[in-house]
Amino acid sequence: MDRLQAFARRGLQEDVFLRNVLCLAGAVWMTWEYIITCRDEYQYIWRVKVLYMLARYLTLGVLWANTYIVFVPLSCVPVPRHACVGWFLLLMISASLLLAAIDSLIMLRVYALYNCSLKMAVFFTGLLVMQMMLIAISVSRTLHLLPFSETCDVLETPQEVIYVMAGDVFTQTILLLLTIAKRKVAFGESLLVHLVVRDGAWVFVLLVSIWAATIPYSLFTHVSKLHLMFVFPIALMSTATCRLIMNMHKIPLEMSSNRYSGSGSTGTDIAFTTHIEMSETSQISVASIHPTQARESTS
């Protein structure tokens, strides 16, 4: 009997060690991502962009705070339920904010492609509110019922996560279809439209892959390991959001470089050089510039 208890205790210690290492890896990854992109961030971003600040600095803070939590208070097993609930809420709220940020960013891009249509604005706002309401309702209904193990694993994955997953997959599918429908803007020659379509496609693949890799596995095993369900998805969504914003802010400089070098992105006399500016109030301005007009205005 003592040997069985010792074996079980060793298994718990190994599980805690693996969890701590994975959480540390997520924090190190985000720190490395920040280091290799800080030059671009300084050049393109530091005009206080709300979505960027949320995705970059909130995530860095959360992941390093999470690393401290798993290495210090959560390493003393068994972990009390209130500590598990607090850890779960920290990761869940952070993941929800990042999901809202990346969804909002893709919506802003599609909104600009549709000439800032009021109907699109209302529709996208409804989609975003629906997604956040699904998350809030699911958490409020299940949080007090969640059974936690000694290491804060959720021992029974609630069925409500299926509705949250379905809601976001539906939202991403709508955004992807609306983006693809506009791929022929400016005869399909616009560098910016190509970027929006490409980025929208890989964000769709990323988010659907995250859902497909986490939710079915948790439902099948009936166990949700929070460090797998949240830490790396948080890091991935943060990386994606920051790269999307950097890519968009690089476009005007690339267009200017092509214009002055005489190697424009199109072989015709028309170019769609829409530049999306997101202020602190998340407003978008769209400007389509004819190349000959641009040259006349600079001369």
Side-chain angles (χ1 to χ4, degrees):
M1 189 67 179
D2 291 340
R3 294 183 61 185
L4 289 176
Q5 290 178 347
F7 182 76
R9 180 64 59 182
R10 183 178 177 182
L12 286 177
Q13 291 173 347
E14 291 177 351
D15 193 34
V16 168
F17 176 77
L18 178 61
R19 179 198 65 192
N20 294 357
V21 169
L22 290 176
C23 290
L24 176 62
V28 170
W29 174 10
M30 279 308 305
T31 303
W32 175 246
E33 162 71 13
Y34 171 72
I35 291 172
I36 64 176
T37 59
C38 62
R39 179 177 296 179
D40 286 342
E41 178 179 322
Y42 176 79
Q43 183 175 1
Y44 301 114
I45 306 301
W46 280 5
R47 288 179 289 173
V48 190
K49 305 298 180 183
V50 174
L51 293 178
Y52 188 89
M53 301 296 285
L54 170 68
R56 174 70 83 199
Y57 295 105
L58 177 65
T59 303
L60 277 171
V62 166
L63 290 181
W64 280 112
N66 175 70
T67 302
Y68 168 79
I69 290 170
V70 299
F71 270 93
V72 182
L74 296 188
S75 289
C76 300
V77 293
V79 181
R81 175 181 170 80
H82 70 270
C84 294
V85 170
W87 185 41
F88 170 80
L89 287 175
L90 171 68
L91 295 177
M92 186 277 301
I93 292 172
S94 301
S96 299
L97 288 175
L98 280 169
L99 182 62
I102 196 169
D103 283 351
S104 298
L105 185 58
I106 297 298
M107 288 175 181
L108 285 169
R109 289 176 163 208
V110 179
Y111 171 70
L113 286 179
Y114 283 80
N115 297 320
C116 302
S117 166
L118 178 60
K119 292 181 179 179
M120 284 294 175
V122 173
F123 178 61
F124 290 153
T125 301
L127 283 179
L128 192 60
V129 170
M130 176 199 72
Q131 183 67 22
M132 294 302 103
M133 286 184 62
L134 281 174
I135 294 174
I137 292 171
S138 297
V139 172
S140 64
R141 290 183 57 183
T142 60
L143 183 61
H144 64 286
L145 300 175
L146 289 179
F148 290 97
S149 71
E150 294 180 340
T151 57
C152 288
D153 293 336
V154 178
L155 297 178
E156 185 178 348
T157 304
Q159 299 293 320
E160 282 80 0
V161 297
I162 296 176
Y163 304 121
V164 177
M165 176 181 68
D168 190 56
V169 171
F170 173 76
T171 298
Q172 296 304 321
T173 302
I174 293 296
L175 291 173
L176 181 64
L177 293 176
L178 289 173
T179 303
I180 292 175
K182 285 290 186 178
R183 70 188 185 279
K184 295 300 183 181
V185 170
F187 308 103
E189 298 288 345
S190 168
L191 180 61
L192 184 136
V193 174
H194 172 74
L195 174 71
V196 170
V197 174
R198 184 201 67 188
D199 286 357
W202 73 256
V203 166
F204 173 85
V205 171
L206 172 67
L207 293 180
V208 170
S209 299
I210 289 174
W211 289 115
T214 55
I215 302 304
Y217 174 79
S218 297
L219 291 172
F220 178 76
T221 61
H222 302 288
V223 175
S224 296
K225 294 184 177 294
L226 300 186
H227 55 287
L228 298 178
M229 291 286 294
F230 290 110
V231 175
F232 278 98
I234 285 173
L236 285 169
M237 288 190 290
S238 173
T239 301
T241 303
C242 294
R243 293 301 181 96
L244 286 173
I245 296 174
M246 286 185 183
N247 288 347
M248 185 60 69
H249 282 77
K250 289 178 181 179
I251 285 291
L253 295 183
E254 292 178 8
M255 289 178 174
S256 298
S257 176
N258 288 338
R259 184 184 302 159
Y260 289 120
S261 64
S263 57
S265 61
T266 69
T268 66
D269 197 33
I270 298 176
F272 183 74
T273 57
T274 303
H275 176 45
I276 302 176
E277 281 287 353
M278 289 175 293
S279 67
E280 293 185 16
T281 56
S282 299
Q283 294 177 333
I284 296 183
S285 61
V286 181
S288 297
I289 305 172
H290 193 284
T292 56
Q293 294 174 342
R295 284 194 294 268
E296 290 173 359
S297 63
T298 56
S299 61

